[in-house]
Amino acid sequence: MTTSSTAPTSSVIPTLPGHYYTDQALFAREQKNIFEAMWFCVVRSSDIPKPGSFKTVQVGSESILVTRARDRSVRAFFNVCRHRGAQLCTEESGEVARAFQCPYHAWTYGLDGKLVAAPNLTKMADLDRVQYGLINVHVREWLGYVWVCLADEPPSFEDDVMGAVTERLGALELIDNYDVAGLEVGRRIVYDVKANWKLIIENFMECYHCATIHPELTEVLPEFADGYAAQYFVGHGAEFGEEVKGFTVDGSAGLDRIPGVSEDQDRRYYAITIKPQVFINLVPDHVIVHRMFPLAVDRTVVECDWLYLPDVVESGKDLDKSVELFHRVNEQDFEACERCQPTMGSRTYAKGGVLVPSEHHIGVFHEWVQDRIG
């Protein structure tokens, strides 16, 4: 049964039932059918700046090792030694000179994943070093981020990832104006949110709550006080208030405008959701990217990057007022999600709640989740 098809003449439609946010078995299906089957954004390309740089990330139930090979291409592997299954790298990030060595039996793999050494390997002439190399994961780089897909046959990146941007903005090339890949990380904040990942997405998709919990944001974007999020309308960007000079916590002037931003995009905020775990926020002088890592049915780590022109970052200009606006929004949103999580298991929420008209598009997201997990 889908959510939006119920009671089509009513101003309210049902949400997902509460157990969708608390059931461990259902979360395991989401890991398999969503996070491990779709394109998943894992690291900023600059996080692995040179050959041998690496990061380990959790994608669904799997630990993934992301690194840069000697030819500077990005590679990703399951973080599992092919000998006896030990986790190859336990550090979140680091750098190796030439190879990854398993600390258990010293099986050693090149940056391309090939098995290059092991105790007594010369006595095992029949051991295929490619076949027993690390298991590759599909990789794409876009917008200055590394995206991986654990599926044997990945879905179309153009349809699923780029298509989400096209659907939101109306044309893919409009995001090119922000040169997201050419920007640099000015600030990164990691949030450990005690809430189900779907609550975070639902919150980001709507602005019915904005007037209640986001006083700073609605000062900068007055239309948000009316309850309709910018994502509700294709191609629409929420306009800054008349007296607002920049996307800052107090409405003061921002930083250097990104040169490619058009006059139509100036003084506007665009929000994009790329399922299953990326939010992109576009404003004239910076871009904010959220990457969610659902670690448990009731825990989601969110890494948030504030991206600016390289000259702005290198100059040491004060970013605090610029960062503080959305940092407060994040804290307010995540507190709201954490307020909801404990009550998802309440008997009063067993059949779920309701979505008002300005939230009806969340029903489409609910249908998508139900279709994915079967």
Side-chain angles (χ1 to χ4, degrees), residues 2-60:
T2 58
T3 54
S4 61
S5 61
T6 304
T9 59
S10 174
S11 61
V12 297
I13 60 176
T15 67
L16 292 172
H19 75 275
Y20 272 75
Y21 306 88
T22 61
D23 187 274
Q24 297 285 356
L26 192 148
F27 179 68
R29 282 157 53 196
E30 291 175 340
Q31 288 182 305
K32 178 181 178 181
N33 297 335
I34 296 178
F35 311 130
E36 297 173 19
M38 300 182 66
W39 286 102
F40 195 100
C41 188
V42 285
V43 302
R44 183 78 177 163
S45 297
S46 58
D47 291 338
I48 45 172
K50 59 183 180 179
S53 301
F54 72 87
K55 291 202 72 172
T56 57
V57 293
Q58 193 71 20
V59 180

Side-chain angles (χ1 to χ4, degrees), residues 84-216:
R84 296 270 296 280
Q87 192 170 76
L88 193 61
C89 292
T90 56
E91 303 91 347
E92 290 186 4
S93 62
E95 183 181 326
V96 295
R98 293 178 171 274
F100 296 97
Q101 185 175 85
C102 179
Y104 192 7
H105 294 96
W107 276 39
T108 305
Y109 305 89
L111 301 181
D112 61 357
K114 181 181 177 181
L115 178 65
V116 295
N120 304 317
L121 185 59
T122 56
K123 297 180 180 179
M124 297 178 279
D126 61 329
L127 188 67
D128 188 317
R129 299 189 184 200
V130 174
Q131 181 183 352
Y132 286 93
L134 299 177
I135 301 297
N136 281 285
V137 172
H138 298 283
V139 173
R140 289 287 297 265
E141 282 189 89
W142 190 53
L143 301 179
Y145 283 89
V146 177
W147 308 67
V148 302
C149 183
L150 277 54
D152 291 338
E153 296 293 335
S156 168
F157 189 88
E158 288 72 20
D159 290 347
D160 284 11
V161 178
M162 296 179 175
V165 175
T166 302
E167 183 179 1
R168 169 64 186 94
L169 297 181
L172 182 64
E173 57 268 21
L174 292 178
I175 201 170
D176 294 339
N177 295 352
Y178 294 84
D179 187 25
V180 184
L183 303 181
E184 290 189 6
V185 178
R187 191 77 54 85
R188 173 175 290 164
I189 300 178
V190 179
Y191 306 86
D192 197 333
V193 188
K194 297 177 179 63
N196 184 271
W197 67 281
K198 295 186 294 297
L199 290 174
I200 298 173
I201 287 189
E202 292 161 12
N203 174 277
F204 186 72
M205 290 178 69
E206 55 93 357
C207 213
Y208 189 46
H209 68 278
C210 287
T212 307
I213 71 171
H214 294 321
E216 300 89 356

Side-chain angles (χ1 to χ4, degrees), residues 260-273:
V261 172
S262 69
E263 290 300 321
D264 290 341
Q265 294 168 318
D266 193 20
R267 293 183 55 79
R268 289 186 180 272
Y269 161 80
Y270 299 86
I272 306 166
T273 301

